[in-house]
Amino acid sequence: MTEATPINAVMRALADPTRRAVFEQVVNSGEITVVDLTRGSGVTQGAVSQHLKALKQAGLVAERPEGRKVYYRAQPDGLAPLVDWMSHYGVFWRERFADLRTLLKEIDP
C-alpha cells in the first residue's frame, strides 16, 4: 500500500466538490487555462487559481506556461495513490463478500 502522505494529499484535494469539478474540467479538456475554467463556472478566477494550486500540490495537475497564459493538464499518475488504496480495500471487500456468499449458501442451500 502507498505512504500516508500522498494518499492524504490526493484525498484532501478531491474532498472539495468545487475542486473536484475543476479537476474534472481539466481532465475532460486536455489542456485548459484559468480563464476558460472560470468561464460559466460561477467561481471567481482567484478561487479557481487556488483550487488549481491545491490540485498541483497533490500531483493531480501540471502547468505549462505559454506567454501570458498558463495551461493546465491532468497528471495521470496523480491518482495512483488513490487507486492503490482502493485496490487494497477492494481485495478486502471481495474476500468478505465471497465469505458471505458461502455462508448464505450454507444457511439456505
Side-chain angles (χ1 to χ4, degrees):
M1 199 158 77
T2 61
E3 296 176 353
T5 304
I7 186 66
N8 288 347
V10 171
M11 286 186 162
R12 197 174 306 113
L14 296 176
D16 183 276
T18 304
R19 194 171 298 132
R20 266 195 320 273
V22 168
F23 180 66
E24 287 175 18
Q25 280 186 277
V26 172
V27 168
N28 292 330
S29 67
E31 274 194 336
I32 193 166
T33 64
V34 174
V35 172
D36 292 332
L37 283 166
T38 304
R39 193 173 294 128
S41 70
V43 181
T44 67
Q45 187 170 339
V48 169
S49 293
Q50 288 299 313
H51 287 304
L52 286 167
K53 180 180 177 183
L55 291 168
K56 183 180 173 193
Q57 288 173 338
L60 296 170
V61 298
E63 60 185 21
R64 178 181 62 83
E66 185 176 292
R68 295 180 65 177
K69 293 182 180 181
V70 178
Y71 291 87
Y72 291 87
R73 68 184 176 286
Q75 287 289 93
D77 294 339
L79 290 173
L82 183 59
V83 170
D84 291 346
W85 184 84
M86 291 177 66
S87 295
H88 172 77
Y89 285 100
V91 169
F92 171 83
W93 284 110
R94 278 191 293 280
E95 290 173 2
R96 299 307 180 276
F97 284 128
D99 292 345
L100 178 60
R101 189 177 301 114
T102 302
L103 178 63
L104 291 174
K105 285 181 181 176
E106 290 174 4
I107 292 173
D108 187 18

